[in-house]
């Protein structure tokens, strides 16, 4: 499982330190990669099956443009991914719709609700990633979302299917 934590502010850096302490208490095999002053990647050493090189390279010597879109909203997600890639996005965060995204603002909540109403779910998102890769999307794709859908899908299955689809990592 990969967890990206944004640590742009000193306060968040302190919170990240506490997250490190808690994470190591529960999972001593946890490894943390500091890719840039603003990005920390957590991954379990025994589950390091994603190649983080492409993501790390986005942060070498310059800021990276990271874009977000909810999978399935609007319906034309793959053309939007192409527009983001063509527009210079270094990394694209692809949101997995969730029924109760209370930590997000009203815009993402609405996008989630519409995507779910359109029948988008975790298998749909993985198919979308496969189709996006087949259509020429080459930038790193990070699945972003709540833990609940991933747990319901099955952690091991999620990691295996995501990797096979062409996902570069998770933001949970």
């Amino acid at each position: 499982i990969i967890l990206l934590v944004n640590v742009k502010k000193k306060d968040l850096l302190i919170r990240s330190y506490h997250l490190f302490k808690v994470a190591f208490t529960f999972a001593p095999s946890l490894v943390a990669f500091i890719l840039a002053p603003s990005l920390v990647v957590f991954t379990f050493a025994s589950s390091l099956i994603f190649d983080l090189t492409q993501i790390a390279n986005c942060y070498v010597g310059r800021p990276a443009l990271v874009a977000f879109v909810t999978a399935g909203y609007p319906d034309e997600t793959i053309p939007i991914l192409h527009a983001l890639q063509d527009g210079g996005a270094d990394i694209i965060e692809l949101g997995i719709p969730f029924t109760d995204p209370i930590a997000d603002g009203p815009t993402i909540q609405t996008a989630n609700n519409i995507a779910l109403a359109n029948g988008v779910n975790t298998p749909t998102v993985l198919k979308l990633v496969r189709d996006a890769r087949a259509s020429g999307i080459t930038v790193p794709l990070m699945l972003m979302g709540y833990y609940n859908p991933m747990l319901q899908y099955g952690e091991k299955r999620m990691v295996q299917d995501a990797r096979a689809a062409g996902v570069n990592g998770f933001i949970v």
Side-chain angles (χ1 to χ4, degrees):
I1 304 272
I2 296 174
L3 170 67
L4 298 178
V5 178
N6 192 336
V7 290
K8 288 185 179 175
K9 297 181 182 175
K10 187 176 180 181
D11 181 47
L12 289 176
L13 185 58
I14 292 167
R15 287 187 212 161
S16 296
Y17 169 74
H18 291 295
L19 180 60
F20 273 119
K21 278 180 61 178
V22 170
F24 280 113
T25 301
F26 291 106
S29 64
L30 189 74
V31 176
F33 299 93
I34 299 176
L35 299 180
S38 65
L39 187 69
V40 180
V41 176
F42 295 92
T43 184
F44 290 96
S46 61
S47 301
L48 186 56
I49 61 170
F50 291 95
D51 181 3
L52 301 178
T53 307
Q54 190 179 10
I55 295 168
N57 288 341
C58 293
Y59 289 90
V60 175
R62 65 179 177 81
L65 175 60
V66 181
F68 172 84
V69 63
T70 299
Y73 178 78
D75 293 336
E76 303 82 19
T77 303
I78 292 178
I80 290 171
L81 296 177
H82 278 282
L84 291 171
Q85 177 175 277
D86 295 346
D90 295 298
I91 297 172
I92 300 174
E93 300 170 354
L94 189 60
I96 300 172
F98 179 55
T99 55
D100 196 19
I102 59 171
D104 294 309
T107 302
I108 293 176
Q109 289 175 0
T110 301
N112 275 256
N113 291 335
I114 293 171
L116 290 168
N118 289 338
V120 177
N121 55 27
T122 302
T124 307
V125 174
L126 294 172
K127 182 183 180 322
L128 194 148
V129 171
R130 279 191 303 277
D131 294 347
R133 292 294 188 205
S135 72
I137 295 296
T138 59
V139 297
L141 292 175
M142 305 292 293
L143 292 186
M144 182 175 181
Y146 291 80
Y147 183 64
N148 307 52
M150 297 176 197
L151 179 63
Q152 183 179 13
Y153 189 82
E155 294 168 324
K156 185 175 181 178
R157 179 177 164 217
M158 182 66 179
V159 171
Q160 291 170 340
D161 292 355
R163 181 178 185 206
V167 171
N168 294 90
F170 298 93
I171 304 171
V172 180

